[in-house]
Amino acid sequence: MKTEDLISALAADPAAPRPPRVETRLPGFLGLGVLVTALAFALVLGPRPDLAAALARPVVLAKTLLPLLLAALALPLVLRDARPGARYGLPGALIWAVPLAVAGLFLLAFLTELPGDRLRLFLGHSIPVCLPAITLLSLPMLAGLLVALRRGAPVRPARCGALAGLVAAGLATAIYSTFCIEDSPLFYAVWYSAGIMIATGLGALAGRQLLRW
Amino acid sequence: MNDRNALWGDLLRRGNSGDRAAYARFLTETLPVLRNIARARMAGGTAEEVEDVVQEALMAIHAKRHTWREGEPVTPWLYAIARYKCADAARRRRARGGGSGAEVPIEDLAEVLPDEALGEVTAARDLTRLLQRLDPRAAEIVRALGVEGESAAEVGARHGMTEGAVRVAYHRAMRQLKALAGEAGAHAAEGDPPDATMARDRTGHRTAGHKTTGQERDDQEAVTTVGRRR
């Protein structure tokens, strides 16, 4: 078929009733994912008994707020990444503040803890719970994001999937942090980050498969 | 560049809200630019390969036109889509094992190609087999438009589709068929013992690492021929 014929065929294709855009579909699907995750969390883990008191300490509050901030900054990035030619803009620069803050907290804790305590705090007692929990809790939200993103047109599907993984992992980690009683940055700066990276990697793999167009 | 963004942005905006003439003009005006991008990105590709990518880019632009935001410059959006489709095509070409030598002038194959009459029989048999691998409606549209020579309007009326939608579906199915034919050819090539004619041809006219055989060319030709007959 000649290209000119294709153009007339495409132009004759009646303007479809405006297809719902990623932005309109996303809140619903992401919300559904959050709901499933929250439900699973409430049924299996649940918040720690001393949550209110613990959150009064800045170093504990940070382990909930930082992943939340990560998700909030990654969300506009994933939306922009789903549009060809769009730039990341301000959130793309601001998001680096999160890993910087995490590194800062880790360093501070490393310097203030007694040398004999460092390894014990770093290893904690819940790595085998922490990593799979963060990964699993992020899956429902990752799925919701990917469904919404299939409407978009990411020119780097793996990267877009990774950003979706980052959003989901940030939210999942914030939720998980209300269960976890390991309050030293020596633990959470490392192991939460590792969990977030696993979920981000899963998002990249899924994105490469599901977000191609 | 700003003029172009303003003009194209305006055309696409009107096109997106249902102005077909503006939309057709948008696609037509961007066509040379798309061709340039495809040519630059598909270095070593044949004219046919370049045009294939251009058509894929056009269909992608059409399918994803809602991802452009009114008020944003249209060219970065457009170029990003074109580049994406070029990268996609290049990846597929690598996966097929074809390099820049994947296409050979047809005259070079005169000795190894079966004669026309035989080609028609093989083509008909292969086409039936390939059509079975499409979804039933697409296969029906190809048969009606490409083989029976019905008009898009007739087929559309039968399927409750608009004429435009039938043409787009037909076009899509033809591309799929072409890809399937290429695949079938590549598989056939792996199974074939290299006979003397082919071996001579390979050494004579083809670059290394090249897997296209006379059969694949034949399949592709056959499908294209049927496609053009409507």
Side-chain angles (χ1 to χ4, degrees), chain A residues 197-210:
Chain A
M197 277 185 238
I198 293 173
T200 306
L202 286 178
L205 288 177
R208 201 172 62 183
Q209 293 301 317
L210 301 174

Side-chain angles (χ1 to χ4, degrees), chain A residues 1-4 6-7 9-15 18-19 21 23 83-85 150-153 155 212-213, chain B residues 16 20 24 27 31 35 51 55 58 60 62 64 66-67 69 72 76-77 80-81 84-85 91 162 167 171:
Chain A
M1 189 191 249
K2 281 172 60 190
T3 305
E4 283 70 20
L6 174 65
I7 289 184
L10 293 177
D13 196 13
R18 287 215 153 199
R21 303 201 315 190
E23 286 84 347
R83 281 188 286 127
R150 282 179 61 86
R151 279 260 143 234
V155 291
R212 289 174 59 186
W213 47 284
Chain B
N16 271 351
R20 289 180 193 188
L27 294 176
L31 184 58
R35 282 207 178 108
E51 206 56 21
Q55 296 195 356
L58 281 169
H62 182 69
K64 299 293 183 182
H66 59 278
T67 62
R69 276 200 176 166
E72 281 189 7
W77 176 82
I81 293 182
Y84 175 69
K85 283 296 161 188
R91 194 179 322 114
T162 62
R167 286 220 198 90
H171 190 86

Side-chain angles (χ1 to χ4, degrees), chain A residues 79-139:
Chain A
L79 285 172
R80 287 173 201 209
D81 207 47
R83 281 188 286 127
R87 291 167 186 280
Y88 289 147
L90 193 60
L94 286 181
I95 200 163
W96 294 104
V98 178
L100 269 177
V102 171
L105 279 172
F106 181 87
L107 202 66
L108 195 70
F110 185 83
L111 295 175
T112 50
E113 296 292 348
L114 293 173
D117 286 341
R118 286 176 192 154
L119 188 65
R120 180 181 56 81
L121 289 169
F122 166 70
L123 290 176
H125 56 81
S126 64
I127 298 169
V129 183
C130 171
L131 291 183
I134 289 178
T135 308
L136 289 175
L137 287 175
S138 59
L139 290 184

Side-chain angles (χ1 to χ4, degrees), chain A residues 176-202:
Chain A
Y176 175 78
S177 70
T178 63
F179 157 83
C180 170
I181 53 167
E182 315 249 20
D183 292 338
S184 169
L186 291 181
F187 180 87
Y188 70 71
V190 176
W191 301 109
Y192 283 18
S193 303
I196 290 172
M197 277 185 238
I198 293 173
T200 306
L202 286 178

